[in-house]
Amino acid sequence: LTEAMISICQHQDWLKCAVNCINFGQYMSQAMWIKDSELLQLPHFTQTEVKHCEKGKGATTAKTIKQYLEIPDENKKGLADMSAEQKADVIKCCSLIPDIGVETKVFTDDDEDAGVYEGDLVSVQVTITRKHLQEGKKAGLVHSPFFPFPKNEAWWVIMGTKEGKIISVEKVIDPSRVVEHKIKFLAPRQVSTKDL
């Protein structure tokens, strides 16, 4: 359903709507409302554990998954009232949540010079690195216990203009540790890498 919604957004050139649909798909796979805390994706977490994680100040306070993952396991909040098995579930889930790096490179296949001119076929190479995986390992199933069937990890590569027009929306399903994905398009007038 969400992929069909994203396809409609692409055909209508609705960049912001496409991004919202992708975010909505994540919430749907986690059986969450968009107003819910990201921390509810963790196993055995309820509003009580979320409040415990969010209160206080300093390095052990977390309001997002990213902040929670940065806290050393022994200092993570929200685990005090859990059994040893439940704590292990949370720590295991944290080790499965992707930590990715994204790099881009813009180029043309023109050998004459490195400039990009109107009408040139431009390539944007997006390199996604799953930093949490060891060399040779592949991404497995995502932690989504309420989703009705197993779900593989996937990423969306979106390219648009400052005006909100879509150049490309593509789903990347390759589970490799390092994934290179190319987007090709014709350069418009007065192209600038700041506009992409």
Side-chain angles (χ1 to χ4, degrees), residues 44-60:
H44 315 296
F45 263 58
T46 65
Q47 288 296 339
T48 304
E49 286 77 23
V50 169
K51 285 178 186 172
H52 186 68
C53 291
E54 292 176 343
K55 75 177 181 183
K57 294 181 181 177
T60 60

PDB file of all heavy atoms in Angstrom, residues 44-60:
ATOM      1  N   HIS A  44       9.499  -4.784  24.605  1.00  0.00           N
ATOM      2  CA  HIS A  44       9.116  -4.641  26.017  1.00  0.00           C
ATOM      3  C   HIS A  44       9.004  -3.184  26.475  1.00  0.00           C
ATOM      4  O   HIS A  44       8.808  -2.934  27.654  1.00  0.00           O
ATOM      5  CB  HIS A  44      10.073  -5.403  26.942  1.00  0.00           C
ATOM      6  CG  HIS A  44      10.397  -6.779  26.462  1.00  0.00           C
ATOM      7  ND1 HIS A  44       9.438  -7.768  26.353  1.00  0.00           N
ATOM      8  CD2 HIS A  44      11.568  -7.324  26.026  1.00  0.00           C
ATOM      9  CE1 HIS A  44      10.018  -8.868  25.887  1.00  0.00           C
ATOM     10  NE2 HIS A  44      11.303  -8.624  25.684  1.00  0.00           N
ATOM     11  N   PHE A  45       9.143  -2.225  25.562  1.00  0.00           N
ATOM     12  CA  PHE A  45       9.029  -0.819  25.937  1.00  0.00           C
ATOM     13  C   PHE A  45       7.573  -0.381  25.894  1.00  0.00           C
ATOM     14  O   PHE A  45       6.840  -0.689  24.960  1.00  0.00           O
ATOM     15  CB  PHE A  45       9.856   0.078  25.000  1.00  0.00           C
ATOM     16  CG  PHE A  45      11.210   0.428  25.546  1.00  0.00           C
ATOM     17  CD1 PHE A  45      12.119  -0.564  25.886  1.00  0.00           C
ATOM     18  CD2 PHE A  45      11.589   1.746  25.719  1.00  0.00           C
ATOM     19  CE1 PHE A  45      13.371  -0.258  26.384  1.00  0.00           C
ATOM     20  CE2 PHE A  45      12.842   2.071  26.226  1.00  0.00           C
ATOM     21  CZ  PHE A  45      13.736   1.073  26.565  1.00  0.00           C
ATOM     22  N   THR A  46       7.167   0.323  26.953  1.00  0.00           N
ATOM     23  CA  THR A  46       5.844   0.935  27.031  1.00  0.00           C
ATOM     24  C   THR A  46       6.070   2.422  27.296  1.00  0.00           C
ATOM     25  O   THR A  46       7.218   2.881  27.376  1.00  0.00           O
ATOM     26  CB  THR A  46       5.015   0.323  28.181  1.00  0.00           C
ATOM     27  OG1 THR A  46       5.660   0.651  29.420  1.00  0.00           O
ATOM     28  CG2 THR A  46       4.881  -1.190  28.044  1.00  0.00           C
ATOM     29  N   GLN A  47       4.991   3.162  27.484  1.00  0.00           N
ATOM     30  CA  GLN A  47       5.122   4.585  27.785  1.00  0.00           C
ATOM     31  C   GLN A  47       5.928   4.814  29.068  1.00  0.00           C
ATOM     32  O   GLN A  47       6.640   5.808  29.188  1.00  0.00           O
ATOM     33  CB  GLN A  47       3.732   5.230  27.922  1.00  0.00           C
ATOM     34  CG  GLN A  47       2.994   5.381  26.608  1.00  0.00           C
ATOM     35  CD  GLN A  47       3.702   6.321  25.631  1.00  0.00           C
ATOM     36  OE1 GLN A  47       4.521   7.160  26.000  1.00  0.00           O
ATOM     37  NE2 GLN A  47       3.384   6.163  24.361  1.00  0.00           N
ATOM     38  N   THR A  48       5.859   3.877  30.016  1.00  0.00           N
ATOM     39  CA  THR A  48       6.609   4.007  31.269  1.00  0.00           C
ATOM     40  C   THR A  48       8.110   4.029  31.009  1.00  0.00           C
ATOM     41  O   THR A  48       8.836   4.895  31.528  1.00  0.00           O
ATOM     42  CB  THR A  48       6.253   2.848  32.232  1.00  0.00           C
ATOM     43  OG1 THR A  48       4.852   2.848  32.434  1.00  0.00           O
ATOM     44  CG2 THR A  48       6.983   2.972  33.549  1.00  0.00           C
ATOM     45  N   GLU A  49       8.593   3.083  30.207  1.00  0.00           N
ATOM     46  CA  GLU A  49      10.030   3.020  29.892  1.00  0.00           C
ATOM     47  C   GLU A  49      10.456   4.242  29.074  1.00  0.00           C
ATOM     48  O   GLU A  49      11.545   4.782  29.268  1.00  0.00           O
ATOM     49  CB  GLU A  49      10.367   1.726  29.144  1.00  0.00           C
ATOM     50  CG  GLU A  49      10.372   0.480  30.006  1.00  0.00           C
ATOM     51  CD  GLU A  49       8.971  -0.035  30.339  1.00  0.00           C
ATOM     52  OE1 GLU A  49       8.011   0.272  29.596  1.00  0.00           O
ATOM     53  OE2 GLU A  49       8.841  -0.744  31.347  1.00  0.00           O
ATOM     54  N   VAL A  50       9.580   4.668  28.160  1.00  0.00           N
ATOM     55  CA  VAL A  50       9.892   5.847  27.335  1.00  0.00           C
ATOM     56  C   VAL A  50      10.064   7.075  28.226  1.00  0.00           C
ATOM     57  O   VAL A  50      11.028   7.829  28.076  1.00  0.00           O
ATOM     58  CB  VAL A  50       8.797   6.083  26.263  1.00  0.00           C
ATOM     59  CG1 VAL A  50       8.973   7.435  25.591  1.00  0.00           C
ATOM     60  CG2 VAL A  50       8.813   4.960  25.225  1.00  0.00           C
ATOM     61  N   LYS A  51       9.146   7.279  29.154  1.00  0.00           N
ATOM     62  CA  LYS A  51       9.239   8.436  30.059  1.00  0.00           C
ATOM     63  C   LYS A  51      10.525   8.387  30.875  1.00  0.00           C
ATOM     64  O   LYS A  51      11.178   9.401  31.098  1.00  0.00           O
ATOM     65  CB  LYS A  51       8.023   8.492  30.989  1.00  0.00           C
ATOM     66  CG  LYS A  51       6.773   8.979  30.300  1.00  0.00           C
ATOM     67  CD  LYS A  51       5.586   8.978  31.243  1.00  0.00           C
ATOM     68  CE  LYS A  51       4.327   9.333  30.472  1.00  0.00           C
ATOM     69  NZ  LYS A  51       3.108   9.162  31.263  1.00  0.00           N
ATOM     70  N   HIS A  52      10.907   7.198  31.326  1.00  0.00           N
ATOM     71  CA  HIS A  52      12.136   7.044  32.103  1.00  0.00           C
ATOM     72  C   HIS A  52      13.356   7.439  31.250  1.00  0.00           C
ATOM     73  O   HIS A  52      14.276   8.087  31.752  1.00  0.00           O
ATOM     74  CB  HIS A  52      12.269   5.604  32.601  1.00  0.00           C
ATOM     75  CG  HIS A  52      13.426   5.397  33.518  1.00  0.00           C
ATOM     76  ND1 HIS A  52      13.501   5.948  34.781  1.00  0.00           N
ATOM     77  CD2 HIS A  52      14.572   4.704  33.343  1.00  0.00           C
ATOM     78  CE1 HIS A  52      14.644   5.602  35.344  1.00  0.00           C
ATOM     79  NE2 HIS A  52      15.311   4.846  34.484  1.00  0.00           N
ATOM     80  N   CYS A  53      13.351   7.049  29.972  1.00  0.00           N
ATOM     81  CA  CYS A  53      14.471   7.372  29.075  1.00  0.00           C
ATOM     82  C   CYS A  53      14.544   8.865  28.764  1.00  0.00           C
ATOM     83  O   CYS A  53      15.626   9.416  28.590  1.00  0.00           O
ATOM     84  CB  CYS A  53      14.341   6.605  27.762  1.00  0.00           C
ATOM     85  SG  CYS A  53      14.580   4.839  27.938  1.00  0.00           S
ATOM     86  N   GLU A  54      13.388   9.503  28.687  1.00  0.00           N
ATOM     87  CA  GLU A  54      13.335  10.906  28.278  1.00  0.00           C
ATOM     88  C   GLU A  54      13.585  11.884  29.424  1.00  0.00           C
ATOM     89  O   GLU A  54      13.950  13.027  29.183  1.00  0.00           O
ATOM     90  CB  GLU A  54      11.976  11.224  27.639  1.00  0.00           C
ATOM     91  CG  GLU A  54      11.785  10.532  26.302  1.00  0.00           C
ATOM     92  CD  GLU A  54      10.401  10.762  25.704  1.00  0.00           C
ATOM     93  OE1 GLU A  54       9.474  11.176  26.453  1.00  0.00           O
ATOM     94  OE2 GLU A  54      10.244  10.526  24.500  1.00  0.00           O
ATOM     95  N   LYS A  55      13.393  11.440  30.676  1.00  0.00           N
ATOM     96  CA  LYS A  55      13.552  12.390  31.782  1.00  0.00           C
ATOM     97  C   LYS A  55      15.018  12.509  32.196  1.00  0.00           C
ATOM     98  O   LYS A  55      15.827  11.616  31.971  1.00  0.00           O
ATOM     99  CB  LYS A  55      12.676  11.993  32.972  1.00  0.00           C
ATOM    100  CG  LYS A  55      13.169  10.822  33.783  1.00  0.00           C
ATOM    101  CD  LYS A  55      12.267  10.582  34.971  1.00  0.00           C
ATOM    102  CE  LYS A  55      12.819   9.409  35.771  1.00  0.00           C
ATOM    103  NZ  LYS A  55      11.986   9.052  36.879  1.00  0.00           N
ATOM    104  N   GLY A  56      15.300  13.638  32.810  1.00  0.00           N
ATOM    105  CA  GLY A  56      16.659  13.892  33.260  1.00  0.00           C
ATOM    106  C   GLY A  56      17.464  14.639  32.219  1.00  0.00           C
ATOM    107  O   GLY A  56      16.966  15.051  31.183  1.00  0.00           O
ATOM    108  N   LYS A  57      18.731  14.818  32.533  1.00  0.00           N
ATOM    109  CA  LYS A  57      19.646  15.524  31.642  1.00  0.00           C
ATOM    110  C   LYS A  57      20.916  14.706  31.521  1.00  0.00           C
ATOM    111  O   LYS A  57      21.186  13.822  32.305  1.00  0.00           O
ATOM    112  CB  LYS A  57      19.973  16.908  32.209  1.00  0.00           C
ATOM    113  CG  LYS A  57      18.786  17.841  32.256  1.00  0.00           C
ATOM    114  CD  LYS A  57      19.189  19.196  32.799  1.00  0.00           C
ATOM    115  CE  LYS A  57      17.975  20.104  32.861  1.00  0.00           C
ATOM    116  NZ  LYS A  57      18.276  21.399  33.438  1.00  0.00           N
ATOM    117  N   GLY A  58      21.676  15.038  30.521  1.00  0.00           N
ATOM    118  CA  GLY A  58      22.977  14.408  30.380  1.00  0.00           C
ATOM    119  C   GLY A  58      23.019  13.332  29.310  1.00  0.00           C
ATOM    120  O   GLY A  58      22.093  13.163  28.520  1.00  0.00           O
ATOM    121  N   ALA A  59      24.095  12.581  29.348  1.00  0.00           N
ATOM    122  CA  ALA A  59      24.404  11.616  28.293  1.00  0.00           C
ATOM    123  C   ALA A  59      23.522  10.374  28.307  1.00  0.00           C
ATOM    124  O   ALA A  59      23.512   9.620  27.347  1.00  0.00           O
ATOM    125  CB  ALA A  59      25.869  11.205  28.397  1.00  0.00           C
ATOM    126  N   THR A  60      22.782  10.121  29.386  1.00  0.00           N
ATOM    127  CA  THR A  60      21.957   8.914  29.432  1.00  0.00           C
ATOM    128  C   THR A  60      20.489   9.193  29.097  1.00  0.00           C
ATOM    129  O   THR A  60      19.669   8.293  29.156  1.00  0.00           O
ATOM    130  CB  THR A  60      22.041   8.233  30.816  1.00  0.00           C
ATOM    131  OG1 THR A  60      21.581   9.147  31.809  1.00  0.00           O
ATOM    132  CG2 THR A  60      23.458   7.785  31.112  1.00  0.00           C
TER     133      THR A  60
END
